[in-house]
Amino acid sequence: MWTVDFKGWWRLGDGSRCEPLTVRDAHSRFLFTVSLPAKAGWEGVRAEFERLFILYGLPRVIHSDNGSPFASVQAPLGLTRLSAWWVCLGIELDRGRPGHPQDNGAHERMHRDLEEEVARHAQPDARMQQACFDVWREEYNWERPHEALDGRTPGEV
């Protein structure tokens, strides 16, 4: 199962909005991406998932919250263009309860680290911010042991 969410946003030095997409494996805690999608809206998220599917294969399940672009409270079955695409690929959808971020607690915990270690040090622009995300993700996956993984790194698992 993969978990997905957007980290809350902040402003970069150039005034642009920074709201990174985060995708990780629920079992190993391996962080597949912390990225600023190149295109706005669901198209940019889809492009990032296409890249991840090529690199890591298709997950059996994707867990998300009920927000856009992952779900819609007004659409039939809560499907959006993005989640309908996932279903067409044979991926099962798993959604948290509305207003219960603890349903994705380990992902939210990773977001807390991202907030403390990266977001509080906003970069001048998106290119430099993405470079910081990339360095942080490598450390998170390959250097940082996790208690829940018996002291192993996500990359080891």
Side-chain angles (χ1 to χ4, degrees), residues 56-136:
Y56 302 107
L58 294 176
R60 286 194 333 244
V61 178
I62 293 179
H63 176 86
S64 72
D65 62 19
N66 291 281
S68 179
F70 314 120
S72 170
V73 294
Q74 299 176 351
L77 303 174
L79 294 175
T80 62
R81 287 186 272 186
L82 180 67
S83 59
W85 175 60
W86 290 339
V87 169
C88 288
L89 292 173
I91 300 169
E92 181 182 331
L93 305 177
D94 181 58
R95 297 191 180 120
R97 297 169 294 162
H100 289 82
Q102 66 271 24
D103 289 352
N104 202 6
H107 200 105
E108 295 297 337
R109 176 63 179 88
M110 177 271 299
H111 274 182
R112 188 172 76 190
D113 290 343
L114 182 62
E115 171 73 26
E116 292 173 4
E117 299 167 19
V118 181
R120 289 189 182 170
H121 309 283
Q123 297 300 305
D125 58 34
R127 184 184 59 77
M128 293 180 76
Q129 188 66 66
Q130 185 62 60
C132 288
F133 290 150
D134 294 342
V135 168
W136 186 82

Side-chain angles (χ1 to χ4, degrees), residues 141-156:
N141 284 335
W142 298 102
E143 298 174 21
R144 184 180 299 196
H146 292 251
E147 185 177 329
L149 301 175
D150 296 324
R152 295 175 293 169
T153 67
E156 291 174 302

